[in-house]
Amino acid sequence: MKNCTVYKTMNIMGKRWTIHILLELHKGDKKEKGFNELKRKLGGVTPRILSARLVELESEGLIIKQTDHSKVPGRSEYFLTESGEDFIQVIQGIKKWGTKWKFKNSECDRSVCKYCDL
C-alpha cells in the first residue's frame, strides 16, 4: 500500500488543519494571508501546528511563502500555488458529497457558500 497514490495523497491531505488552511487561503478577495490572519480565521489551531502545516504544504508545492523584507520585522504571507488552487476542486467535491449525503445546509446549497466561499 505504500505505493498507492490514494494513501500517499491522504498522508499529505489527511492531517488535521491541512484542508482548512487551503480553504482559508482560497477564500475572499485577498488570496495571500499572513500567519496571524490564518491563525485567527482558523480558530482553534495552535501556532506550532499551523507552522508545521504551512511548512509541509510549502514543501509539497501547494502553497508559497512570500516574505517582504522591506518591513521590520519582515512580513510573510502565504498563497496557493497552481497545485493548491487545483486541490480546491477536490474540496468542492467533498462539499457536494456532504450536502448530498450528510448535512442539510441551505447556505452550502447556494452556488457560493458564505462560510467556505465555494
Side-chain angles (χ1 to χ4, degrees), residues 22 25 54 57-58 61-65 78-81:
L22 294 173
L25 289 172
L54 290 170
L57 288 167
E58 187 178 19
L62 291 150
I63 67 171
I64 292 177
K65 177 182 178 180
Y78 301 87
F79 59 94
L80 296 174
T81 62

Side-chain angles (χ1 to χ4, degrees), residues 2-3 9 18 25 45 58 60 109:
K2 66 180 178 180
N3 290 322
T9 303
T18 298
L25 289 172
V45 67
E58 187 178 19
E60 293 294 343
D109 288 338

Side-chain angles (χ1 to χ4, degrees), residues 19-41:
I19 290 178
H20 299 85
I21 292 167
L22 294 173
L23 184 56
E24 280 304 324
L25 289 172
H26 169 74
K27 286 169 58 174
D29 294 329
K30 183 180 161 231
K31 297 301 180 184
E32 64 281 336
K33 296 183 177 77
F35 184 91
N36 289 329
E37 182 178 0
L38 285 169
K39 185 177 177 313
R40 186 178 66 254
K41 289 181 180 270

